Amino acid sequence: MTEPQGVDMPNDLTTAERTMWTSFEYGMTCDLRDGNPLLNDPFSELEWGPGRSVRADVIALLLLSGPPARPGRVSALKLLGAYVTGKLTLAGGTIGPYVELTGCRFERELTLPESRFSTLRLVGCAIPRLEAARLHTEGDLHLPRCRIEHGIRLTDAHIGTDLLINQIRVRPDRLGRAITADGLSVAQDLQAELIETYGEVSLRGAKVGVSLSLRGSRLRAVEGRRALNAPS
């Protein structure tokens, strides 16, 4: 029985996207950082040039219908210092490859409701909003040191091992909620140390299999909301 083949590399890809595509086939890190360290802070006001931009649609194509790994390799999306343009939507999709984005900027929200991952790591990224209700991971979900301007939604998400959000900074959505994770299930540990939230953290009915740590964190309420809302 032959295995299904992914799509071929499109002809209209930019140089950065071609590099990302080839790196995916080899499971290697695609490093799009600038030679000037001052231009690699995803949280700064400085603009990032087009040479490090990759379209969200191309990332979705790779993750949902990408090419097979090269012989002796394991395909993976590993991006460093990329500017993701457009809206990355993987709602309802099953993503087999390992995904790790470090020090990246997202132009628009990241939309992952009802999607399934093995492991998903977003480290030190600037994200307008993370919409991930009913997300399912077989392994970890890591969001350390990310800054998210309009809230995180993890309602009824299932994390197969650990949820790590240490040193994250989250501002509220339009309803005054920073992290909405009612019904969240984490099989092992929920590490939320040194986090800063500006809006309600809602964990109503959440289940954590082993431990929850909020050491050194600051949870700030907004008017009409609690700082932490975690009954049951």
Side-chain angles (χ1 to χ4, degrees), residues 144-158:
R145 302 190 301 281
C146 287
R147 293 187 186 179
I148 301 176
E149 288 299 312
H150 301 291
I152 298 174
R153 187 180 181 200
L154 286 169
T155 306
D156 296 323
H158 176 84

Side-chain angles (χ1 to χ4, degrees), residues 72-216:
R73 299 281 187 165
V74 177
S75 59
L77 181 68
K78 301 177 184 178
L79 278 178
L80 185 57
Y83 180 41
V84 181
T85 61
K87 183 177 179 180
L88 181 54
T89 300
L90 300 170
T94 298
I95 295 89
Y98 174 82
V99 180
E100 179 176 310
L101 281 72
T102 303
C104 295
R105 279 182 179 175
F106 288 80
E107 180 184 35
R108 298 178 61 187
E109 73 176 55
L110 183 54
T111 307
L112 308 175
E114 299 188 20
S115 58
R116 300 179 70 91
F117 288 80
S118 51
T119 289
L120 174 60
R121 301 189 75 237
L122 303 172
V123 180
C125 293
I127 306 171
R129 175 170 172 78
L130 177 58
E131 180 66 49
R134 298 173 299 283
L135 168 77
H136 185 108
T137 68
E138 297 297 331
D140 296 341
L141 173 61
H142 288 188
L143 303 168
R145 302 190 301 281
C146 287
R147 293 187 186 179
I148 301 176
E149 288 299 312
H150 301 291
I152 298 174
R153 187 180 181 200
L154 286 169
T155 306
D156 296 323
H158 176 84
I159 310 303
T161 48
D162 298 331
L163 173 59
L164 190 151
I165 58 172
N166 293 342
Q167 300 180 59
I168 201 170
R169 181 184 294 181
V170 189
R171 302 197 66 84
D173 62 14
R174 58 186 178 84
L175 298 177
R177 299 173 299 196
I179 300 176
T180 305
D182 301 335
L184 170 72
S185 174
V186 180
Q188 296 184 19
D189 299 326
L190 199 172
Q191 298 181 34
E193 299 182 354
L194 301 171
I195 74 170
E196 293 187 32
T197 55
Y198 302 83
E200 183 172 281
V201 175
S202 184
L203 294 168
R204 295 180 300 172
K207 298 178 181 178
V208 179
V210 180
S211 67
L212 163 65
S213 175
L214 286 162
R215 181 181 62 86

Side-chain angles (χ1 to χ4, degrees), residues 18-31 62-63 66-80 96-101:
R18 287 180 177 276
T19 302
M20 175 180 69
W21 193 282
T22 302
S23 298
F24 175 86
E25 294 176 308
Y26 282 95
M28 298 172 60
T29 298
C30 177
D31 189 348
L62 270 178
L63 294 179
R70 294 296 180 98
R73 299 281 187 165
V74 177
S75 59
L77 181 68
K78 301 177 184 178
L79 278 178
L80 185 57
Y98 174 82
V99 180
E100 179 176 310
L101 281 72

